[in-house]
Amino acid sequence: TQSTWALEAMSQRWLDAYRARSDSLLVDLFSGQLQSSVTCMQCGHVSHAFDPFMDLSLTLPTGVSSSVTLADCVARFLQEETLVGTERAYCSQCKKHQDATKLLDICRLPPVLVLHFKRFAFSSTIRRKLTHDVRFPKTLNMADYGCSGQANGLYHLYGVVNHMGTMEAGHYTAYCKSPLDGQWHEFDDSRVTPVSESTVGGPATYVLFYQLMPA
């Protein structure tokens, strides 16, 4: 098992390589890093990879159109995955593909965290928009979701993108919180309307924007 120091050093090397070819203000604001740990089920060897992300795409349950929480969605994103059959992973210790488990961790948090809900379901039997009412906090502590990325993981919500309608015909609106007085506004085409904080949310919620709070 690699030490925490060794993993941090590996994470930094991957980050440096990414920034060397993708250095921009957008990367500075929105880019975080995921750690992927794949464990061979035959010999127990663990391999690690570090990948950048600009947003996290969170899956919604497809069974019923009901209410779910952001915590449910993040837990689903981070839950351990079993790699078998055609998805078997190559083990450098066994020198061949083996059944394995894969675990994700958010090891570096961005200044602006973007969370996207996968509301459009596609499969051989399903092609529809998922209308779950996703409940989410206005203040988000990523430490609650097992994030090991940094000591300060406290965010506040400042923007929401909504999608109304169906897959065939939809309309986008947005809510945004003023940094000056904390007032929420709804943006709907050319119309800008002050709204109460309780208005923000519901089954039309599509993308959340959280800003990292100062330590």
Side-chain angles (χ1 to χ4, degrees):
T1 303
Q2 289 180 285
S3 68
T4 301
W5 179 87
L7 290 176
E8 290 176 353
M10 187 185 302
S11 166
Q12 187 63 50
R13 287 196 300 273
W14 284 60
L15 180 62
D16 291 343
Y18 170 66
R19 287 188 173 275
R21 64 179 185 274
S22 304
D23 189 20
S24 72
L25 179 60
L26 290 177
V27 170
D28 292 341
L29 289 175
F30 297 103
S31 180
Q33 190 183 60
L34 290 171
Q35 176 183 328
S36 171
S37 301
V38 177
T39 304
C40 175
M41 297 175 68
Q42 180 65 32
C43 72
H45 175 71
V46 183
S47 61
H48 301 280
F50 297 86
D51 296 298
F53 69 86
M54 299 293 281
D55 65 83
L56 299 180
S57 291
L58 307 177
T59 303
L60 297 173
T62 58
V64 291
S65 294
S66 59
S67 179
V68 298
T69 66
L70 176 61
D72 296 331
C73 297
V74 175
R76 184 188 300 269
F77 179 82
L78 296 175
Q79 72 183 2
E80 188 176 74
E81 179 183 3
T82 301
L83 306 177
V84 296
T86 57
E87 297 185 342
R88 300 172 89 195
Y90 181 80
C91 176
S92 59
Q93 195 80 13
C94 298
K95 307 298 182 185
K96 63 179 180 178
H97 286 82
Q98 299 278 27
D99 292 348
T101 59
K102 179 180 178 180
L103 192 62
L104 290 178
D105 179 41
I106 306 169
C107 61
R108 292 181 186 268
L109 290 166
V112 178
L113 179 63
V114 181
L115 303 174
H116 157 248
F117 298 107
K118 295 182 178 180
R119 288 204 175 271
F120 305 108
F122 300 91
S123 72
S124 58
T125 58
I126 296 176
R127 188 178 183 273
R128 63 188 179 92
K129 180 184 175 183
L130 303 176
T131 57
H132 300 69
D133 182 5
V134 182
R135 302 191 305 277
F136 51 89
K138 302 302 189 295
T139 300
L140 173 68
N141 188 352
M142 287 303 291
D144 294 339
Y145 303 98
C147 178
S148 63
Q150 56 195 64
N152 177 33
L154 200 61
Y155 287 82
H156 72 83
L157 182 75
Y158 77 91
V160 178
V161 174
N162 307 296
H163 180 273
M164 273 78 71
T166 65
M167 293 180 64
E168 291 74 23
H171 178 65
Y172 291 93
T173 65
Y175 295 117
C176 192
K177 185 177 181 179
S178 169
L180 300 179
D181 59 8
Q183 173 66 53
W184 283 91
H185 293 81
E186 181 182 21
F187 294 78
D188 187 351
D189 292 335
S190 61
R191 297 186 299 276
V192 180
T193 309
V195 296
S196 65
E197 185 175 87
S198 61
T199 305
V200 179
T205 301
Y206 190 40
V207 184
L208 303 176
F209 293 83
Y210 284 94
Q211 184 175 16
L212 188 65
M213 299 174 68

